[in-house]
Short mmCIF file of all heavy atoms in Angstrom, two decimals:
data_model
loop_
_atom_site.label_atom_id
_atom_site.label_comp_id
_atom_site.label_asym_id
_atom_site.label_seq_id
_atom_site.Cartn_x
_atom_site.Cartn_y
_atom_site.Cartn_z
N MET A 18 150.24 6.21 180.04
CA MET A 18 150.09 7.41 180.84
C MET A 18 148.70 7.99 180.61
O MET A 18 148.19 7.98 179.49
CB MET A 18 151.17 8.43 180.44
CG MET A 18 151.12 9.65 181.31
SD MET A 18 152.24 11.02 180.92
CE MET A 18 153.75 10.26 180.51
N THR A 19 148.10 8.53 181.64
CA THR A 19 146.79 9.15 181.55
C THR A 19 146.88 10.46 180.78
O THR A 19 147.79 11.25 180.99
CB THR A 19 146.25 9.44 182.97
OG1 THR A 19 146.18 8.21 183.67
CG2 THR A 19 144.87 10.08 182.91
N LYS A 20 145.93 10.70 179.89
CA LYS A 20 145.90 11.95 179.13
C LYS A 20 145.13 12.99 179.93
O LYS A 20 144.00 12.77 180.32
CB LYS A 20 145.23 11.72 177.78
CG LYS A 20 145.11 12.98 176.96
CD LYS A 20 145.50 12.72 175.53
CE LYS A 20 145.21 13.89 174.65
NZ LYS A 20 146.13 14.97 174.73
N LEU A 21 145.77 14.14 180.17
CA LEU A 21 145.14 15.22 180.90
C LEU A 21 144.27 16.06 179.96
O LEU A 21 144.49 16.07 178.75
CB LEU A 21 146.20 16.11 181.55
CG LEU A 21 147.13 15.41 182.54
CD1 LEU A 21 148.16 16.41 183.08
CD2 LEU A 21 146.36 14.78 183.68
N LYS A 22 143.32 16.78 180.52
CA LYS A 22 142.45 17.63 179.72
C LYS A 22 143.18 18.88 179.23
O LYS A 22 142.81 19.45 178.21
CB LYS A 22 141.21 18.04 180.51
CG LYS A 22 140.23 16.91 180.70
CD LYS A 22 138.95 17.43 181.31
CE LYS A 22 137.93 16.31 181.37
NZ LYS A 22 136.62 16.81 181.72
N LEU A 23 144.20 19.32 179.96
CA LEU A 23 144.94 20.52 179.57
C LEU A 23 146.14 20.14 178.73
O LEU A 23 146.75 19.11 178.93
CB LEU A 23 145.42 21.29 180.79
CG LEU A 23 144.36 21.97 181.64
CD1 LEU A 23 145.04 22.73 182.77
CD2 LEU A 23 143.48 22.89 180.83
N GLY A 24 146.47 21.03 177.80
CA GLY A 24 147.69 20.88 177.03
C GLY A 24 148.71 21.90 177.50
O GLY A 24 148.57 22.45 178.59
N PRO A 25 149.70 22.20 176.69
CA PRO A 25 150.71 23.18 177.07
C PRO A 25 150.09 24.54 177.38
O PRO A 25 149.10 24.93 176.77
CB PRO A 25 151.62 23.29 175.84
CG PRO A 25 151.37 22.02 175.07
CD PRO A 25 149.95 21.62 175.37
N ILE A 26 150.66 25.23 178.35
CA ILE A 26 150.15 26.54 178.77
C ILE A 26 150.80 27.62 177.90
O ILE A 26 152.03 27.70 177.81
CB ILE A 26 150.47 26.81 180.26
CG1 ILE A 26 149.96 25.67 181.13
CG2 ILE A 26 149.95 28.16 180.71
CD1 ILE A 26 148.46 25.45 181.08
N MET A 27 149.98 28.42 177.25
CA MET A 27 150.48 29.49 176.39
C MET A 27 150.81 30.71 177.25
O MET A 27 150.06 31.05 178.17
CB MET A 27 149.43 29.89 175.35
CG MET A 27 149.07 28.79 174.42
SD MET A 27 150.54 28.29 173.54
CE MET A 27 149.91 26.97 172.57
N GLU A 28 151.92 31.35 176.93
CA GLU A 28 152.30 32.58 177.63
C GLU A 28 151.59 33.75 176.94
O GLU A 28 151.78 33.98 175.77
CB GLU A 28 153.82 32.77 177.56
CG GLU A 28 154.61 31.73 178.30
CD GLU A 28 154.53 31.87 179.81
OE1 GLU A 28 154.30 32.97 180.31
OE2 GLU A 28 154.68 30.84 180.49
N GLU A 29 150.77 34.46 177.69
CA GLU A 29 150.08 35.63 177.17
C GLU A 29 150.19 36.75 178.20
O GLU A 29 150.48 36.50 179.36
CB GLU A 29 148.60 35.32 176.92
CG GLU A 29 148.38 34.34 175.80
CD GLU A 29 146.89 34.19 175.48
OE1 GLU A 29 146.13 35.14 175.68
OE2 GLU A 29 146.53 33.11 175.01
N LYS A 30 149.94 37.95 177.75
CA LYS A 30 149.97 39.08 178.67
C LYS A 30 148.83 38.90 179.67
O LYS A 30 147.66 38.81 179.30
CB LYS A 30 149.80 40.39 177.92
CG LYS A 30 149.93 41.59 178.83
CD LYS A 30 149.86 42.88 178.06
CE LYS A 30 149.96 44.03 179.06
NZ LYS A 30 149.87 45.32 178.41
N PRO A 31 149.15 38.84 180.96
CA PRO A 31 148.13 38.55 181.96
C PRO A 31 147.32 39.77 182.37
O PRO A 31 147.74 40.91 182.18
CB PRO A 31 148.95 38.05 183.15
CG PRO A 31 150.26 38.74 183.02
CD PRO A 31 150.50 38.89 181.53
N VAL A 32 146.15 39.51 182.89
CA VAL A 32 145.31 40.51 183.54
C VAL A 32 145.36 40.13 185.02
O VAL A 32 145.15 38.98 185.38
CB VAL A 32 143.86 40.44 183.02
CG1 VAL A 32 142.97 41.37 183.80
CG2 VAL A 32 143.83 40.75 181.54
N LYS A 33 145.67 41.08 185.85
CA LYS A 33 145.85 40.79 187.27
C LYS A 33 144.51 40.53 187.95
O LYS A 33 143.56 41.27 187.80
CB LYS A 33 146.55 41.94 187.97
CG LYS A 33 146.89 41.63 189.40
CD LYS A 33 147.78 42.66 190.01
CE LYS A 33 148.04 42.29 191.44
NZ LYS A 33 149.41 42.00 191.70
N ALA A 34 144.47 39.43 188.70
CA ALA A 34 143.32 39.07 189.51
C ALA A 34 143.85 38.55 190.84
O ALA A 34 144.86 37.85 190.87
CB ALA A 34 142.47 38.01 188.83
N THR A 35 143.20 38.90 191.91
CA THR A 35 143.63 38.44 193.22
C THR A 35 142.56 37.53 193.79
O THR A 35 141.38 37.86 193.78
CB THR A 35 143.83 39.64 194.17
OG1 THR A 35 144.78 40.53 193.57
CG2 THR A 35 144.34 39.22 195.51
N LEU A 36 142.98 36.35 194.25
CA LEU A 36 142.05 35.42 194.86
C LEU A 36 142.79 34.58 195.88
O LEU A 36 144.01 34.46 195.85
CB LEU A 36 141.38 34.52 193.82
CG LEU A 36 142.28 33.51 193.12
CD1 LEU A 36 141.49 32.25 192.91
CD2 LEU A 36 142.75 34.07 191.80
N GLU A 37 142.05 34.01 196.79
CA GLU A 37 142.61 33.11 197.78
C GLU A 37 142.18 31.70 197.44
O GLU A 37 141.02 31.46 197.13
CB GLU A 37 142.10 33.48 199.18
CG GLU A 37 142.66 34.79 199.69
CD GLU A 37 142.24 35.08 201.11
OE1 GLU A 37 141.87 34.15 201.84
OE2 GLU A 37 142.28 36.27 201.48
N LEU A 38 143.14 30.78 197.50
CA LEU A 38 142.86 29.38 197.22
C LEU A 38 142.97 28.59 198.52
O LEU A 38 143.88 28.82 199.31
CB LEU A 38 143.88 28.80 196.24
CG LEU A 38 143.99 29.44 194.87
CD1 LEU A 38 145.14 28.80 194.11
CD2 LEU A 38 142.69 29.30 194.12
N PRO A 39 142.09 27.63 198.71
CA PRO A 39 142.30 26.72 199.84
C PRO A 39 143.63 25.98 199.64
O PRO A 39 144.02 25.69 198.50
CB PRO A 39 141.13 25.75 199.76
CG PRO A 39 140.11 26.42 198.87
CD PRO A 39 140.88 27.32 197.96
N ALA A 40 144.30 25.69 200.73
CA ALA A 40 145.59 25.00 200.66
C ALA A 40 145.48 23.68 199.90
O ALA A 40 146.37 23.33 199.11
CB ALA A 40 146.15 24.78 202.06
N SER A 41 144.39 22.97 200.11
CA SER A 41 144.22 21.68 199.43
C SER A 41 144.13 21.86 197.92
O SER A 41 144.66 21.05 197.16
CB SER A 41 142.97 20.95 199.94
OG SER A 41 141.81 21.72 199.69
N LEU A 42 143.47 22.92 197.45
CA LEU A 42 143.39 23.18 196.01
C LEU A 42 144.78 23.54 195.46
O LEU A 42 145.15 23.10 194.38
CB LEU A 42 142.38 24.29 195.72
CG LEU A 42 142.22 24.68 194.25
CD1 LEU A 42 141.86 23.48 193.39
CD2 LEU A 42 141.18 25.78 194.11
N HIS A 43 145.53 24.32 196.21
CA HIS A 43 146.88 24.68 195.76
C HIS A 43 147.75 23.43 195.67
O HIS A 43 148.52 23.28 194.71
CB HIS A 43 147.52 25.71 196.69
CG HIS A 43 148.80 26.23 196.16
ND1 HIS A 43 150.02 25.71 196.51
CD2 HIS A 43 149.06 27.20 195.25
CE1 HIS A 43 150.98 26.34 195.86
NE2 HIS A 43 150.42 27.25 195.08
N ARG A 44 147.63 22.52 196.61
CA ARG A 44 148.38 21.27 196.55
C ARG A 44 147.98 20.47 195.29
O ARG A 44 148.83 19.92 194.60
CB ARG A 44 148.17 20.42 197.80
CG ARG A 44 148.92 20.94 199.01
CD ARG A 44 148.87 19.97 200.18
NE ARG A 44 147.52 19.72 200.66
CZ ARG A 44 146.92 20.44 201.60
NH1 ARG A 44 147.53 21.48 202.15
NH2 ARG A 44 145.69 20.13 201.99
N ASP A 45 146.68 20.43 195.01
CA ASP A 45 146.21 19.72 193.81
C ASP A 45 146.74 20.39 192.53
O ASP A 45 147.13 19.70 191.58
CB ASP A 45 144.68 19.65 193.78
CG ASP A 45 144.11 18.68 194.79
OD1 ASP A 45 144.87 17.83 195.31
OD2 ASP A 45 142.90 18.77 195.07
N LEU A 46 146.73 21.71 192.49
CA LEU A 46 147.26 22.42 191.33
C LEU A 46 148.75 22.12 191.15
O LEU A 46 149.23 21.93 190.03
CB LEU A 46 147.05 23.94 191.46
CG LEU A 46 145.65 24.45 191.22
CD1 LEU A 46 145.54 25.92 191.60
CD2 LEU A 46 145.23 24.25 189.78
N THR A 47 149.48 22.09 192.25
CA THR A 47 150.91 21.79 192.20
C THR A 47 151.15 20.39 191.66
O THR A 47 152.00 20.18 190.78
CB THR A 47 151.54 21.95 193.60
OG1 THR A 47 151.34 23.31 194.05
CG2 THR A 47 153.03 21.65 193.59
N ALA A 48 150.39 19.43 192.15
CA ALA A 48 150.52 18.05 191.66
C ALA A 48 150.14 17.96 190.19
O ALA A 48 150.82 17.29 189.40
CB ALA A 48 149.64 17.12 192.50
N TYR A 49 149.06 18.64 189.79
CA TYR A 49 148.63 18.64 188.39
C TYR A 49 149.73 19.24 187.51
O TYR A 49 150.04 18.73 186.44
CB TYR A 49 147.33 19.43 188.24
CG TYR A 49 146.60 19.17 186.95
CD1 TYR A 49 145.48 18.36 186.90
CD2 TYR A 49 147.03 19.75 185.76
CE1 TYR A 49 144.80 18.12 185.71
CE2 TYR A 49 146.36 19.52 184.57
CZ TYR A 49 145.25 18.71 184.55
OH TYR A 49 144.59 18.47 183.37
N ALA A 50 150.33 20.35 187.98
CA ALA A 50 151.40 21.00 187.23
C ALA A 50 152.58 20.07 187.02
O ALA A 50 153.19 20.05 185.94
CB ALA A 50 151.84 22.28 187.95
N GLU A 51 152.92 19.29 188.03
CA GLU A 51 154.02 18.34 187.91
C GLU A 51 153.71 17.27 186.85
O GLU A 51 154.55 16.96 186.00
CB GLU A 51 154.30 17.68 189.25
CG GLU A 51 154.91 18.65 190.27
CD GLU A 51 154.99 18.05 191.67
OE1 GLU A 51 154.68 16.86 191.86
OE2 GLU A 51 155.35 18.81 192.58
N VAL A 52 152.50 16.72 186.89
CA VAL A 52 152.11 15.71 185.91
C VAL A 52 152.06 16.32 184.51
O VAL A 52 152.56 15.73 183.54
CB VAL A 52 150.75 15.08 186.28
CG1 VAL A 52 150.25 14.14 185.18
CG2 VAL A 52 150.84 14.35 187.61
N LEU A 53 151.48 17.50 184.38
CA LEU A 53 151.39 18.17 183.09
C LEU A 53 152.77 18.46 182.53
O LEU A 53 153.03 18.26 181.34
CB LEU A 53 150.58 19.46 183.22
CG LEU A 53 150.34 20.24 181.94
CD1 LEU A 53 149.51 19.43 180.94
CD2 LEU A 53 149.64 21.56 182.26
N GLY A 54 153.69 18.89 183.39
CA GLY A 54 155.06 19.16 182.95
C GLY A 54 155.73 17.91 182.42
O GLY A 54 156.42 17.96 181.40
N ARG A 55 155.54 16.78 183.10
CA ARG A 55 156.11 15.51 182.62
C ARG A 55 155.49 15.10 181.30
O ARG A 55 156.17 14.63 180.39
CB ARG A 55 155.91 14.40 183.65
CG ARG A 55 156.80 14.52 184.87
CD ARG A 55 156.81 13.27 185.70
NE ARG A 55 155.49 12.80 186.10
CZ ARG A 55 154.90 13.06 187.26
NH1 ARG A 55 155.50 13.82 188.14
NH2 ARG A 55 153.71 12.57 187.53
N GLN A 56 154.17 15.31 181.18
CA GLN A 56 153.46 14.88 179.99
C GLN A 56 153.78 15.72 178.76
O GLN A 56 153.89 15.21 177.66
CB GLN A 56 151.95 14.90 180.27
CG GLN A 56 151.14 14.12 179.28
CD GLN A 56 149.71 14.00 179.70
OE1 GLN A 56 148.96 14.96 179.56
NE2 GLN A 56 149.33 12.85 180.24
N THR A 57 153.93 17.03 178.96
CA THR A 57 154.15 17.93 177.82
C THR A 57 155.62 18.25 177.59
O THR A 57 155.97 18.78 176.54
CB THR A 57 153.40 19.25 178.02
OG1 THR A 57 153.94 19.93 179.17
CG2 THR A 57 151.91 19.05 178.16
N GLY A 58 156.47 17.95 178.57
CA GLY A 58 157.88 18.32 178.46
C GLY A 58 158.12 19.79 178.70
O GLY A 58 159.22 20.29 178.47
N GLN A 59 157.09 20.50 179.14
CA GLN A 59 157.21 21.93 179.43
C GLN A 59 156.82 22.15 180.90
O GLN A 59 155.65 22.16 181.23
CB GLN A 59 156.27 22.76 178.55
CG GLN A 59 156.58 22.67 177.08
CD GLN A 59 155.57 23.44 176.25
OE1 GLN A 59 154.53 23.90 176.74
NE2 GLN A 59 155.85 23.58 174.98
N PRO A 60 157.83 22.30 181.77
CA PRO A 60 157.49 22.48 183.19
C PRO A 60 156.65 23.73 183.42
O PRO A 60 156.81 24.74 182.74
CB PRO A 60 158.86 22.61 183.86
CG PRO A 60 159.88 22.60 182.80
CD PRO A 60 159.23 22.37 181.48
N VAL A 61 155.71 23.63 184.33
CA VAL A 61 154.86 24.76 184.72
C VAL A 61 155.53 25.37 185.94
O VAL A 61 155.61 24.75 187.00
CB VAL A 61 153.42 24.29 185.06
CG1 VAL A 61 152.57 25.47 185.50
CG2 VAL A 61 152.81 23.60 183.85
N ARG A 62 156.04 26.59 185.78
CA ARG A 62 156.77 27.23 186.87
C ARG A 62 155.87 27.59 188.04
O ARG A 62 156.28 27.51 189.18
CB ARG A 62 157.48 28.48 186.36
CG ARG A 62 158.65 28.18 185.44
CD ARG A 62 159.34 29.45 185.01
NE ARG A 62 158.52 30.21 184.07
CZ ARG A 62 158.61 30.10 182.76
NH1 ARG A 62 159.47 29.28 182.23
NH2 ARG A 62 157.85 30.82 181.96
N ASP A 63 154.67 28.02 187.74
CA ASP A 63 153.74 28.46 188.79
C ASP A 63 152.41 27.74 188.59
O ASP A 63 151.73 27.97 187.59
CB ASP A 63 153.56 29.97 188.72
CG ASP A 63 152.65 30.52 189.81
OD1 ASP A 63 152.19 29.74 190.68
OD2 ASP A 63 152.43 31.74 189.82
N PRO A 64 152.01 26.88 189.52
CA PRO A 64 150.76 26.14 189.36
C PRO A 64 149.53 27.03 189.20
O PRO A 64 148.55 26.61 188.61
CB PRO A 64 150.64 25.29 190.62
CG PRO A 64 151.90 25.45 191.37
CD PRO A 64 152.69 26.55 190.76
N VAL A 65 149.61 28.26 189.67
CA VAL A 65 148.48 29.19 189.52
C VAL A 65 148.20 29.46 188.05
O VAL A 65 147.07 29.78 187.67
CB VAL A 65 148.75 30.48 190.33
CG1 VAL A 65 147.70 31.54 190.08
CG2 VAL A 65 148.82 30.16 191.82
N GLN A 66 149.22 29.26 187.18
CA GLN A 66 149.02 29.44 185.74
C GLN A 66 147.99 28.46 185.18
O GLN A 66 147.48 28.67 184.09
CB GLN A 66 150.33 29.23 184.99
CG GLN A 66 151.34 30.31 185.16
CD GLN A 66 152.59 29.98 184.37
OE1 GLN A 66 153.19 28.92 184.54
NE2 GLN A 66 152.98 30.88 183.50
N LEU A 67 147.70 27.42 185.90
CA LEU A 67 146.73 26.42 185.43
C LEU A 67 145.29 26.89 185.57
O LEU A 67 144.40 26.36 184.90
CB LEU A 67 146.90 25.12 186.21
CG LEU A 67 148.24 24.43 186.09
CD1 LEU A 67 148.29 23.23 187.02
CD2 LEU A 67 148.51 24.02 184.66
N ILE A 68 145.04 27.85 186.43
CA ILE A 68 143.67 28.25 186.75
C ILE A 68 142.92 28.73 185.50
O ILE A 68 141.81 28.28 185.22
CB ILE A 68 143.64 29.30 187.87
CG1 ILE A 68 144.16 28.67 189.16
CG2 ILE A 68 142.23 29.86 188.05
CD1 ILE A 68 144.37 29.66 190.30
N VAL A 69 143.53 29.62 184.74
CA VAL A 69 142.84 30.17 183.56
C VAL A 69 142.56 29.09 182.52
O VAL A 69 141.41 28.94 182.07
CB VAL A 69 143.62 31.37 182.96
CG1 VAL A 69 143.04 31.78 181.62
CG2 VAL A 69 143.60 32.54 183.94
N PRO A 70 143.56 28.28 182.12
CA PRO A 70 143.24 27.23 181.13
C PRO A 70 142.20 26.24 181.65
O PRO A 70 141.39 25.74 180.88
CB PRO A 70 144.57 26.54 180.87
CG PRO A 70 145.61 27.45 181.38
CD PRO A 70 144.99 28.33 182.39
N MET A 71 142.23 25.95 182.94
CA MET A 71 141.23 25.04 183.50
C MET A 71 139.84 25.65 183.42
O MET A 71 138.87 24.97 183.05
CB MET A 71 141.56 24.68 184.94
CG MET A 71 142.70 23.73 185.07
SD MET A 71 143.07 23.40 186.80
CE MET A 71 143.97 21.86 186.65
N LEU A 72 139.72 26.92 183.75
CA LEU A 72 138.42 27.59 183.65
C LEU A 72 137.96 27.68 182.20
O LEU A 72 136.78 27.45 181.90
CB LEU A 72 138.48 28.99 184.28
CG LEU A 72 138.55 29.02 185.79
CD1 LEU A 72 138.80 30.44 186.28
CD2 LEU A 72 137.28 28.47 186.40
N GLU A 73 138.88 28.00 181.30
CA GLU A 73 138.53 28.06 179.88
C GLU A 73 138.04 26.70 179.39
O GLU A 73 137.04 26.62 178.67
CB GLU A 73 139.73 28.51 179.05
CG GLU A 73 140.06 29.97 179.22
CD GLU A 73 141.34 30.37 178.52
OE1 GLU A 73 142.22 29.51 178.26
OE2 GLU A 73 141.49 31.58 178.25
N ARG A 74 138.73 25.65 179.78
CA ARG A 74 138.34 24.30 179.37
C ARG A 74 136.98 23.93 179.95
O ARG A 74 136.14 23.35 179.27
CB ARG A 74 139.42 23.31 179.83
CG ARG A 74 139.14 21.88 179.56
CD ARG A 74 139.28 21.57 178.09
NE ARG A 74 139.08 20.13 177.92
CZ ARG A 74 139.40 19.48 176.85
NH1 ARG A 74 139.95 20.11 175.84
NH2 ARG A 74 139.17 18.20 176.77
N PHE A 75 136.79 24.27 181.21
CA PHE A 75 135.51 23.98 181.86
C PHE A 75 134.36 24.67 181.13
O PHE A 75 133.35 24.05 180.80
CB PHE A 75 135.56 24.44 183.32
CG PHE A 75 134.26 24.27 184.06
CD1 PHE A 75 133.93 23.04 184.60
CD2 PHE A 75 133.38 25.33 184.20
CE1 PHE A 75 132.73 22.87 185.27
CE2 PHE A 75 132.18 25.16 184.86
CZ PHE A 75 131.85 23.94 185.41
N ILE A 76 134.53 25.96 180.84
CA ILE A 76 133.48 26.71 180.16
C ILE A 76 133.25 26.19 178.75
O ILE A 76 132.11 26.05 178.30
CB ILE A 76 133.82 28.22 180.16
CG1 ILE A 76 133.67 28.77 181.59
CG2 ILE A 76 132.94 29.00 179.19
CD1 ILE A 76 134.16 30.18 181.78
N ALA A 77 134.33 25.88 178.05
CA ALA A 77 134.22 25.40 176.67
C ALA A 77 133.52 24.05 176.56
O ALA A 77 132.92 23.74 175.54
CB ALA A 77 135.61 25.31 176.03
N THR A 78 133.58 23.24 177.62
CA THR A 78 133.00 21.90 177.55
C THR A 78 131.71 21.76 178.36
O THR A 78 131.17 20.66 178.46
CB THR A 78 134.02 20.85 178.03
OG1 THR A 78 134.40 21.14 179.39
CG2 THR A 78 135.25 20.84 177.15
N ASP A 79 131.21 22.85 178.91
CA ASP A 79 129.97 22.81 179.68
C ASP A 79 128.79 22.96 178.73
O ASP A 79 128.49 24.06 178.24
CB ASP A 79 129.96 23.92 180.73
CG ASP A 79 128.78 23.85 181.67
OD1 ASP A 79 127.65 23.61 181.21
OD2 ASP A 79 128.98 24.02 182.88
N ARG A 80 128.15 21.86 178.41
CA ARG A 80 127.06 21.86 177.45
C ARG A 80 125.88 22.71 177.92
O ARG A 80 125.24 23.38 177.11
CB ARG A 80 126.59 20.44 177.17
CG ARG A 80 127.62 19.63 176.44
CD ARG A 80 127.13 18.24 176.18
NE ARG A 80 128.16 17.46 175.52
CZ ARG A 80 128.16 16.16 175.45
NH1 ARG A 80 127.18 15.46 175.99
NH2 ARG A 80 129.13 15.53 174.83
N GLY A 81 125.58 22.68 179.19
CA GLY A 81 124.48 23.48 179.72
C GLY A 81 124.74 24.96 179.53
O GLY A 81 123.85 25.73 179.16
N PHE A 82 125.98 25.38 179.78
CA PHE A 82 126.35 26.78 179.58
C PHE A 82 126.24 27.16 178.11
O PHE A 82 125.70 28.22 177.76
CB PHE A 82 127.76 27.04 180.11
CG PHE A 82 128.24 28.44 179.84
CD1 PHE A 82 127.67 29.52 180.47
CD2 PHE A 82 129.26 28.66 178.94
CE1 PHE A 82 128.11 30.82 180.21
CE2 PHE A 82 129.72 29.94 178.67
CZ PHE A 82 129.14 31.02 179.32
N ALA A 83 126.75 26.31 177.23
CA ALA A 83 126.69 26.60 175.79
C ALA A 83 125.25 26.75 175.33
O ALA A 83 124.92 27.66 174.57
CB ALA A 83 127.40 25.50 175.01
N LYS A 84 124.39 25.87 175.80
CA LYS A 84 122.98 25.93 175.42
C LYS A 84 122.35 27.21 175.94
O LYS A 84 121.62 27.90 175.21
CB LYS A 84 122.25 24.71 175.98
CG LYS A 84 120.80 24.63 175.58
CD LYS A 84 120.16 23.37 176.12
CE LYS A 84 118.70 23.29 175.73
NZ LYS A 84 118.05 22.09 176.27
N ALA A 85 122.61 27.56 177.19
CA ALA A 85 122.05 28.78 177.78
C ALA A 85 122.58 30.02 177.06
O ALA A 85 121.86 30.99 176.86
CB ALA A 85 122.38 28.85 179.26
N ARG A 86 123.83 29.97 176.67
CA ARG A 86 124.44 31.12 175.99
C ARG A 86 123.80 31.34 174.62
O ARG A 86 123.64 32.47 174.17
CB ARG A 86 125.93 30.86 175.84
CG ARG A 86 126.71 32.04 175.37
CD ARG A 86 128.17 31.67 175.31
NE ARG A 86 128.95 32.78 175.83
CZ ARG A 86 130.25 32.80 175.90
NH1 ARG A 86 130.94 31.75 175.51
NH2 ARG A 86 130.89 33.84 176.35
N ARG A 87 123.46 30.24 173.94
CA ARG A 87 122.83 30.34 172.61
C ARG A 87 121.36 30.76 172.69
O ARG A 87 120.81 31.30 171.74
CB ARG A 87 122.93 29.02 171.87
CG ARG A 87 124.30 28.68 171.37
CD ARG A 87 124.29 27.46 170.46
NE ARG A 87 123.68 26.30 171.07
CZ ARG A 87 124.33 25.35 171.74
NH1 ARG A 87 125.63 25.45 171.91
NH2 ARG A 87 123.69 24.31 172.26
N ALA A 88 120.73 30.46 173.81
CA ALA A 88 119.30 30.74 173.95
C ALA A 88 119.06 32.25 173.94
O ALA A 88 119.84 33.03 174.50
CB ALA A 88 118.77 30.13 175.23
N LYS A 89 117.97 32.62 173.32
CA LYS A 89 117.61 34.04 173.29
C LYS A 89 116.92 34.37 174.61
O LYS A 89 116.05 33.62 175.08
CB LYS A 89 116.68 34.32 172.11
CG LYS A 89 117.37 34.14 170.80
CD LYS A 89 116.45 34.46 169.66
CE LYS A 89 117.17 34.23 168.34
NZ LYS A 89 116.33 34.45 167.20
N PRO A 90 117.25 35.52 175.19
CA PRO A 90 116.59 35.92 176.42
C PRO A 90 115.09 36.14 176.19
O PRO A 90 114.68 36.67 175.16
CB PRO A 90 117.26 37.22 176.84
CG PRO A 90 118.26 37.54 175.79
CD PRO A 90 118.24 36.46 174.76
N VAL A 91 114.28 35.69 177.10
CA VAL A 91 112.82 35.85 177.01
C VAL A 91 112.41 36.95 177.98
O VAL A 91 112.80 36.96 179.12
CB VAL A 91 112.11 34.53 177.38
CG1 VAL A 91 110.60 34.70 177.36
CG2 VAL A 91 112.55 33.42 176.43
N GLY A 92 111.58 37.88 177.48
CA GLY A 92 111.06 38.93 178.34
C GLY A 92 112.06 40.01 178.66
O GLY A 92 111.93 40.73 179.64
N GLY A 93 113.09 40.13 177.85
CA GLY A 93 114.11 41.15 178.08
C GLY A 93 113.62 42.51 177.61
O GLY A 93 112.46 42.68 177.18
N PRO A 94 114.45 43.53 177.69
CA PRO A 94 114.07 44.88 177.25
C PRO A 94 113.64 44.87 175.78
O PRO A 94 114.21 44.17 174.96
CB PRO A 94 115.37 45.68 177.42
CG PRO A 94 116.22 44.92 178.37
CD PRO A 94 115.80 43.48 178.23
N GLY A 95 112.61 45.59 175.50
CA GLY A 95 112.11 45.70 174.14
C GLY A 95 111.17 44.58 173.74
O GLY A 95 110.74 44.50 172.61
N SER A 96 110.82 43.70 174.69
CA SER A 96 109.91 42.59 174.35
C SER A 96 108.49 43.01 174.55
O SER A 96 108.14 43.78 175.34
CB SER A 96 110.18 41.39 175.23
OG SER A 96 111.46 40.86 174.97
#
């Protein structure tokens, strides 16, 4: 079986955000949730729950972002 990048989804107190998803993305999230549920043994009730862990994973593994985040701003206030 293929190993997915996401693991089990942790239940945490949510912060409300409203967004519109293209139908094709929602279908992909639904399919991903089904595969993830089979792989982890924990069904994902709402595929929208995948958005936050996916974004967290994306940010955590983006080397360019990590490098930019560590870099000191040049020419900022007080320079």
